[in-house]
Amino acid sequence: MLTLMEPHEQKPAIAAFFMALMLMTAYFILRPVRDAMASDWSDSEVSMLWNIQFFLAVGIVALYGFAVSRMTLRKLAPFIYSFFSLSFVLFYFLTPWFSNPVLLEKGFYLWVTVFSLLNLSVFWSFVSTIFTKDQCMRLFPFIGAGASAGAMLGPTIPLFFSRAMGLDNLMLVAAITLLLVIPVALYLNRIQAAVDGENQYRQKDGPSVIGGPWWKGFSDVLSNRYLLGIAVFILLYVFLSSFMYFQQKNILAEFSRPERTQILGGIDWIVNLMTFVFAFALTNRMVKYLGMGLTLASVPLLLVLGMGILAFAPWVTILLGVQIARRVGNYSITRPAREMLFTEVSQEERFKAKPVIDVVVYRGGDAVSASLFALLSDGMGLGLGAISCIAAGIASVWAALGVRLGRLYERSDSQDGEGNHDDSLANNHPSLHSAAQR
């Protein structure tokens, strides 16, 4: 009852839970290795890397779109994770060959950052082909809790073993963890659980190879109003996240480095623990009882209130409280609900356009929002209060867009129930047809 999970859904849902757990464990093993390298570089060097990330993201997503056009969906996820695993093994073996490994380390920094976004984008696209739309609404929050569990487990490995193992060996541990994802993906591809004589998890209808041009994902985001709305929703989230990041950085400047490390480490543990608890029972019930629109708007509305308070009381405790609420709300509510929106698009759009939104739009938002914050603070001299007011306005727009996307999602759901299909919302989604047939 806690997760709204039916008995016949337990095996695939738990498998997906552990798949998310291992993916995030691998990433959080790599992230401290990446950030430890960045501490040796100047702010200008790191800023330049942030801009390079955007162009690298465009290229990687284009290559991914090419793979989607020519590879069967059954093989796609195992191939992607095998590729990333082997790439980290390659970094491990190349490192000793460089007497001055700065360029290689910067390449590793960029590569881990791309992996951090693409790995979950591929995961959610893959999982959405396993479950029907109704199951996604109930099970995605539980599956997302696996990512939170991995975010708690992953950092403990470098925390306790980094000195004994060395940073290079942590790359191998992460690579092996990624390889463990592959048999789980293959299991989810094969699973066929029969309940009351019905095959609840048969492979979905539709082409085994999506086909089409590799650039289709880019054009779909620009031409499809629903996908464009999701992209803008992500962009507004990135803007607020960047604003919060820079505000947090500035307000913690008066503390010593060990104090900052302790504060930020405590925030990470609190966020991951609260997310793990809330994800089991909160989001699926919010969608069920409040609707998708209010669910998507809940965290933006919370930030409107939090930013308003921060504008008049710019205290570190309030800032950190708002930051915790934002991150917990995103991981346990906004992210799972946002992933549900992609159950209303076709397979081609889900596998090609979704990475464009998750990686290219996200990284583009990072670059633009960082420059905008610098303009407002250093260029125009605005303080924390004024910038918080601007952020509150952005959060208001974000909330309104969430309500709009929720209405489009629910309207399509209602039309599907009546046998009508809205082409603008990609009615070819296979899980909708299989649900209607049952």
Side-chain angles (χ1 to χ4, degrees), residues 54-76:
F54 169 72
F55 296 101
L56 178 63
V58 174
I60 292 297
V61 171
L63 289 174
Y64 176 72
F66 180 82
V68 170
S69 297
R70 286 158 175 76
M71 189 173 296
T72 63
L73 299 182
R74 180 184 293 271
K75 297 178 181 178
L76 185 62

Side-chain angles (χ1 to χ4, degrees), residues 28-44:
F28 275 92
I29 292 172
L30 293 168
R31 191 169 79 162
V33 178
R34 177 197 66 181
D35 293 342
M37 295 175 179
S39 298
D40 296 328
W41 307 327
S42 67
D43 289 343
S44 298

Side-chain angles (χ1 to χ4, degrees), residues 26-307:
Y27 168 62
F28 275 92
I29 292 172
L30 293 168
R31 191 169 79 162
V33 178
R34 177 197 66 181
D35 293 342
M37 295 175 179
S39 298
D40 296 328
W41 307 327
S42 67
D43 289 343
S44 298
E45 289 177 295
V46 175
S47 177
M48 178 63 68
L49 289 175
W50 276 39
N51 286 282
I52 294 174
Q53 283 173 3
F54 169 72
F55 296 101
L56 178 63
V58 174
I60 292 297
V61 171
L63 289 174
Y64 176 72
F66 180 82
V68 170
S69 297
R70 286 158 175 76
M71 189 173 296
T72 63
L73 299 182
R74 180 184 293 271
K75 297 178 181 178
L76 185 62
F79 170 79
I80 293 296
Y81 297 126
S82 298
F83 173 74
F84 273 113
S85 177
L86 292 175
S87 71
F88 294 125
V89 172
L90 183 62
F91 274 110
Y92 169 80
F93 283 109
L94 285 177
T95 299
W97 291 86
F98 285 77
S99 57
N100 183 15
V102 175
L103 287 178
L104 183 66
E105 290 173 350
K106 289 182 177 179
F108 178 80
Y109 181 93
L110 292 169
W111 192 243
V112 172
T113 304
V114 171
F115 168 72
S116 69
L117 292 177
L118 190 59
N119 74 327
L120 283 182
S121 180
V122 173
F123 168 75
W124 286 112
S125 295
F126 171 73
V127 170
S128 65
T129 66
I130 303 297
F131 300 103
T132 66
K133 178 179 176 180
D134 174 69
Q135 290 163 343
C136 290
M137 293 176 65
R138 291 183 289 104
L139 300 180
F140 270 21
F142 167 76
I143 295 171
S148 298
M152 290 189 288
L153 174 62
T156 62
I157 296 175
L159 177 64
F160 292 108
F161 301 107
S162 60
R163 291 188 179 182
M165 297 179 61
L167 299 184
D168 294 347
N169 288 321
L170 289 175
M171 297 182 192
L172 281 182
V173 174
I176 293 171
T177 305
L178 276 179
L179 286 178
L180 295 177
V181 171
I182 297 171
V184 180
L186 295 175
Y187 168 75
L188 284 171
N189 267 328
R190 297 193 310 267
I191 193 168
Q192 293 186 343
V195 177
D196 294 331
E198 291 186 78
N199 188 352
Q200 296 287 332
Y201 294 101
R202 63 184 175 83
Q203 288 297 309
K204 308 301 183 185
D205 302 327
S208 58
V209 178
I210 290 178
W214 61 265
W215 63 84
K216 189 67 162 53
F218 293 89
S219 61
D220 282 343
V221 172
L222 296 175
S223 61
N224 186 310
R225 293 173 60 187
Y226 184 69
L227 291 172
L228 185 60
I230 298 176
V232 175
F233 187 84
I234 297 282
L235 196 61
L236 294 173
Y237 161 74
V238 172
F239 269 55
L240 284 167
S241 297
S242 297
F243 276 33
M244 290 293 296
Y245 173 82
F246 283 102
Q247 286 178 325
Q248 173 182 279
K249 178 183 73 70
N250 293 337
I251 208 168
L252 291 178
E254 61 185 82
F255 294 88
S256 67
R257 183 170 294 181
E259 287 174 329
R260 283 180 237 156
T261 302
Q262 187 176 26
I263 291 171
L264 295 174
I267 289 175
D268 283 342
W269 277 100
I270 292 172
V271 167
N272 290 324
L273 179 61
M274 292 179 66
T275 301
F276 183 77
V277 173
F278 289 167
F280 277 103
L282 186 62
T283 308
N284 46 17
R285 285 175 169 79
M286 289 183 66
V287 174
K288 181 178 179 180
Y289 296 112
L290 298 181
M292 181 63 80
L294 287 179
T295 301
L296 288 171
S298 59
V299 174
L301 290 174
L302 181 64
L303 285 182
V304 172
L305 176 62
M307 289 296 182

